[in-house]
Amino acid sequence: MCFLEPDCVSINFDHRADVNGKYKCELNNVSHDGHEHDLRENPNHVYHAAESACLKNPWINNATCQSSFTDKGHRCVCAAEFRGQDCDEGATTCKEAHEMKMYVDVINDRDATYLLLRANVSGVVTLLIDSILVPVFCDVGDFGCGSGGWTPVMKIDCRKGTFHYSSSYWTDSNLPGGETGFDEQETKLANYWSTSFSKICLGMKSNEQLSFFAINKQADSLYSLIADGQYRETSLGHDTWKTLIDAAVSLQSKCNEEGFNVFCTFTISSKARIGIVSNQEDECSTCDSRIVFSTGGYPYDTNSCGNVAKHNPDNGIKYIKAMGYILLQ
């Protein structure tokens, strides 16, 4: 019977028959090897164990070792997040996780056994980022940026100066987090430095309204796209950027420089790591309005994410603070 169970390496047989003439045989997934202190003598039981190849081949990444399989004498049964002969290959992005049809604990209970097939269910997945296991909340389904798995990289709280345009966080260190969805916990994950992508998803939450759009942009990492300070243009248009904010949004009508590392030439004017800056004049030196992620400059230098507009914008003077979300695919 033990040979029919892939996890069985030892048995306990009770040689006393019950009232129905039946005997009890316990199948165990461990043996006395490595568990000597747990072995107890019982005159009513017979114990037998096979030599387990798993003792000499410790498994990693929550894999299960099964003895007496393959020419190696054992095999690894991988946890949902991993693959490969030794379960040492894992998804590095939520897109890969989605394509691997991994499982997600949708109730955030690490001890729960009720896991759902991650077809279009968002939840926490363990990714392998720079050879380190990192639990990350993967967003799937189309919430405004298209379907598939989206990997969070940053969350920016406008009320804080953590990700101001001149912040050192753009060139060093991370912030913990990443295991929750579109909440207000500021985050900067390790994938900022090394995860390549072909799409970037931008979202803002203001007045409890959450809005997103995607940009087709290929890069080796978000760090490589931003940290050198070089302007990289996008062509979404004035009206598309305005969809990130609720109906109160306001911008000036001219200049409209957009993309990554946008800035107007006058020293104190609006600038941003990601976004659009505008002016009421036919030039881009003294911009007075913006919709941005990580901002600085006139007006309202301390609003690090959201919409600021002054000097004849199209919907009045605004100082709208937002929560910003950046995801990759």
Side-chain angles (χ1 to χ4, degrees):
M1 183 180 295
C2 187
F3 289 107
L4 299 177
E5 293 293 333
D7 293 333
C8 182
V9 292
S10 70
I11 63 167
N12 292 316
F13 179 73
D14 188 345
H15 53 68
R16 298 168 300 175
D18 63 16
V19 294
N20 297 314
K22 296 182 179 180
Y23 297 89
K24 181 179 181 181
C25 183
E26 297 176 337
L27 308 184
N28 309 310
N29 61 1
V30 295
S31 71
H32 62 282
D33 290 329
H35 300 271
E36 289 81 3
H37 296 295
D38 297 325
L39 188 64
R40 299 286 185 270
E41 186 175 346
N42 187 321
N44 298 314
H45 288 76
V46 177
Y47 167 79
H48 287 290
E51 183 179 357
S52 176
C54 292
L55 291 175
K56 300 177 182 179
N57 298 278
W59 52 97
I60 60 173
N61 298 333
N62 297 319
T64 299
C65 180
Q66 292 182 342
S67 188
S68 302
F69 286 88
T70 77
D71 56 359
K72 297 194 304 180
H74 75 287
R75 75 174 179 182
C76 288
V77 179
C78 301
E81 296 94 335
F82 300 95
R83 59 193 172 193
Q85 192 173 32
D86 296 314
C87 300
D88 56 354
E89 302 172 19
T92 60
T93 68
C94 292
K95 183 176 185 293
E96 289 181 11
H98 184 74
E99 292 169 351
M100 286 171 63
K101 298 189 183 298
M102 284 168 34
Y103 288 78
V104 172
D105 184 349
V106 296
I107 58 175
N108 291 324
D109 181 351
R110 294 311 177 102
D111 298 321
T113 57
Y114 298 98
L115 304 178
L116 296 182
L117 183 62
R118 195 213 39 74
N120 278 311
V121 179
S122 299
V124 178
V125 167
T126 302
L127 300 181
L128 197 59
I129 301 175
D130 294 334
S131 301
I132 298 174
L133 299 179
V134 181
V136 172
F137 190 93
C138 289
D139 290 285
V140 298
D142 187 358
F143 50 89
C145 288
S147 61
W150 287 95
T151 308
V153 59
M154 296 182 73
K155 290 189 282 187
I156 302 173
D157 188 343
C158 67
R159 298 166 297 184
K160 303 176 182 178
T162 312
F163 294 109
H164 187 273
Y165 184 88
S166 58
S167 170
S168 62
Y169 274 107
W170 294 104
T171 54
D172 65 25
S173 63
N174 300 315
L175 277 178
E179 297 181 52
T180 54
F182 302 125
D183 60 12
E184 297 182 355
Q185 180 187 14
E186 282 200 304
T187 300
K188 176 169 169 271
L189 298 179
N191 53 11
Y192 170 80
W193 309 99
S194 58
T195 298
S196 61
F197 58 90
S198 58
K199 295 180 182 178
I200 183 167
C201 176
L202 301 177
M204 287 188 182
K205 180 165 66 175
S206 62
N207 294 326
E208 300 305 314
Q209 177 178 313
L210 192 59
S211 300
F212 291 89
F213 63 66
I215 302 174
N216 292 321
K217 187 69 176 180
Q218 192 158 354
D220 292 333
S221 66
L222 191 57
Y223 171 76
S224 69
L225 196 63
I226 288 176
D228 63 1
Q230 180 180 337
Y231 171 52
R232 293 175 173 88
E233 184 179 9
T234 59
S235 56
L236 299 173
H238 179 276
D239 291 341
T240 298
W241 286 97
K242 290 178 70 175
T243 63
L244 287 176
I245 304 291
D246 59 34
V249 65
S250 187
L251 276 179
Q252 295 163 302
S253 61
K254 300 177 181 178
C255 177
N256 294 320
E257 184 174 289
E258 62 170 280
F260 304 87
N261 294 317
V262 296
F263 57 90
C264 289
T265 55
F266 191 56
T267 306
I268 65 170
S269 290
S270 288
K271 57 180 72 71
R273 293 295 181 180
I274 305 173
I276 183 171
V277 294
S278 301
N279 200 5
Q280 87 278 22
E281 300 168 330
D282 287 321
E283 42 82 17
C284 289
S285 61
T286 58
C287 301
D288 313 299
S289 63
R290 58 185 182 254
I291 300 172
V292 292
F293 299 78
S294 181
T295 188
Y298 177 87
Y300 204 21
D301 179 71
T302 58
N303 186 3
S304 59
C305 183
N307 176 213
V308 175
K310 202 171 181 180
H311 300 299
N312 301 315
D314 56 13
N315 195 26
I317 296 173
K318 303 293 180 182
Y319 297 99
I320 300 174
K321 294 185 176 183
M323 190 74 197
Y325 305 96
I326 305 174
L327 304 93
L328 307 176
Q329 190 181 85

